[in-house]
Every structure is written in C-alpha cells, then in structure tokens.
Amino acid sequence: MSGAAALGGLLRLMAYIGQSAYDASSQRGSAAGADSFQRAMWALNANYQRADYHIEDVASFVGLSRSQLFRVFKAHAGRSPQSLLQELRLSHAKQLLSSTELSLTETALSSGFSSVSRLCEVFRDFLRTTPNAYRERERCKKGL
C-alpha cells in the first residue's frame, strides 16, 4: 500500500470516528452552518481520492439534505460542494502530474476521477488544457 493510500485510509477512518461523535441535533443557527461547512470540508478532504465518493455522501456525513448542503456551501464558500470536490481532485492530479511519472490512468484514479476521460474533461473545463500539456509545461518550468 502506498503512503498516499495509507494516509487516505487514515483520514477516512478519522472522518468516520468524528461522525459518530457528532450530535447534529444540538447544532442550531449560523453556528450550525459554519460547523456543517467545516465538517463537510473535512469529509471532502478525507475522501476526495475515492472515485465512489459523491456529494450525497458528504450530505449524509454532515446530516443535511443535498440542497441544504448546497446552501451551506454557497453561504460559506460562495460555490457548490461539487465544484470544491472537483477542485480538490484537480489540485491533487496537478501535483501528481508535475512531480511524478505516473501514467494518466494512475493519476486519474489516485486523484478520485473515475477515468482518464473524466480527468481530461475536468482539466479542459477548469484549466483549458489537457493533462499531458500541463505535465509538459510543468517540466519545462522545472527545466526537465
């Protein structure tokens, strides 16, 4: 098991332990929204590398409906939880592309994308480039 996989597993375990210790019924008002946002971000950070992890999982973890979670994210981050999940995955993929020799398939799966085509689609949408072009540009910057 790689270090990244072990760390991801540890973070998921911590997230589930935190979930069992949380009493959603005691949370009210804007403090509850901030707490929900923090818990949701924790869950996203602990699980973004899992391709089978979706916004419904985050909402369930936090104890909100998907639409309530969306409102919390709009209020605290100014955008949707899905866009933040994609950004976490994209950021990890960019780091792997610029610092490793992993294949695109390995990079996609290690970053939580279900396929290389999904990785390429997100790269085009967010960065207006392809993963291979990004890797080459980063190598040129480093003089490799």
Side-chain angles (χ1 to χ4, degrees):
M1 178 184 294
S2 73
L7 178 60
L10 178 60
L11 290 172
R12 282 191 298 280
L13 176 62
M14 290 171 49
Y16 288 119
I17 290 169
Q19 178 181 14
S20 65
Y22 181 73
D23 181 7
S25 65
S26 68
Q27 304 299 314
R28 300 282 184 259
S30 63
D35 184 60
S36 294
F37 178 73
Q38 289 175 348
R39 288 179 43 75
M41 286 303 299
W42 185 38
L44 285 173
N45 279 301
N47 293 288
Y48 73 88
Q49 291 175 293
R50 292 178 39 211
D52 65 342
Y53 196 71
H54 304 286
I55 297 307
E56 291 81 8
D57 300 314
V58 180
S60 176
F61 176 80
V62 176
L64 299 174
S65 70
R66 186 180 169 106
S67 60
Q68 289 171 317
L69 183 68
F70 180 84
R71 285 191 293 275
V72 166
F73 267 75
K74 283 302 231 182
H76 289 86
R79 54 198 226 190
S80 73
Q82 183 64 40
S83 70
L84 281 168
L85 177 59
Q86 291 301 337
E87 184 178 306
L88 286 169
R89 289 175 172 163
L90 180 63
S91 178
H92 189 255
K94 286 170 44 180
Q95 187 272 328
L96 291 176
L97 289 168
S98 66
S99 64
T100 71
E101 295 297 321
L102 293 175
S103 70
L104 287 184
T105 300
E106 292 168 319
T107 298
L109 297 177
S110 296
S111 301
F113 293 101
S114 56
S115 65
V116 173
S117 62
R118 182 66 183 138
L119 171 67
C120 293
E121 181 182 329
V122 172
F123 254 79
R124 279 191 307 273
D125 291 347
F126 280 80
L127 303 175
R128 306 283 184 233
T129 190
T130 66
N132 280 328
Y134 178 84
R135 176 176 267 166
E136 286 304 314
R137 187 175 71 234
E138 291 301 304
R139 285 184 179 159
C140 288
K141 285 181 186 177
K142 292 178 183 178
L144 298 176

